[in-house]
Amino acid sequence: MDERQLRCLVALQDIDIMIQEHEEEEKLGFKTEGIEKLKEMREELAQKIQLPLLRRYERLRQHYKRAVVPVQDNTCLGCFVKLPTSLTTRGKENIEVYTCENCGRILYWLD
Ligand SMILES: [Zn+2]
């Protein structure tokens, strides 16, 4: 997969989590600022990500707060299961995305 796509996806996730945190604070009665700006940035980023990948990410986000997680020592940091050596799965839409076979999260390597 295109490295840039993955970087955009990680940034998108960060923004999504920030928006979520703002919304949670607002529910508790705190007044928050900057949420409109965050939503604008989210839209801009979302446009850079190929639609099938974005859809996949959004489906995962319904289950997990973090849909894209790093891998360390060959371990998925989403569910802490050791990954098999053959990781590549090819999606229907012909994009190569690395996913954890245990939890289904999208993976990225820190190095
Ligand atoms: Zn996992």
Side-chain angles (χ1 to χ4, degrees), residues 32-45:
T32 61
E33 279 171 41
I35 193 159
E36 292 309 317
K37 184 76 196 157
L38 285 173
K39 284 182 176 171
E40 264 173 46
M41 281 171 65
R42 197 226 184 252
E43 286 312 304
E44 265 178 48
L45 262 173

Side-chain angles (χ1 to χ4, degrees), residues 8-26:
C8 284
L9 200 61
V10 172
L12 186 80
Q13 172 174 263
D14 270 345
I15 291 171
D16 273 346
I17 291 170
M18 284 162 81
I19 291 171
Q20 207 175 355
E21 285 169 354
H22 272 262
E23 285 171 349
E24 279 162 13
E25 280 174 27
E26 274 177 2

Side-chain angles (χ1 to χ4, degrees), residues 57-107:
Y57 162 77
E58 281 170 348
R59 270 201 305 274
L60 282 165
R61 279 273 298 160
Q62 293 170 357
H63 303 284
Y64 304 120
K65 185 167 182 176
R66 287 180 185 275
V68 194
V69 296
V71 172
Q72 202 170 27
D73 297 331
N74 223 33
T75 301
C76 164
L77 293 187
C79 65
F80 298 98
V81 161
K82 238 184 166 34
L83 302 164
T85 38
S86 59
L87 270 178
T88 320
T89 51
R90 194 178 273 275
K92 277 197 294 261
E93 297 85 3
N94 224 22
I95 296 178
E96 275 186 16
V97 189
Y98 293 98
T99 54
C100 172
E101 283 182 2
N102 184 56
C103 68
R105 286 177 175 94
I106 299 165
L107 303 170

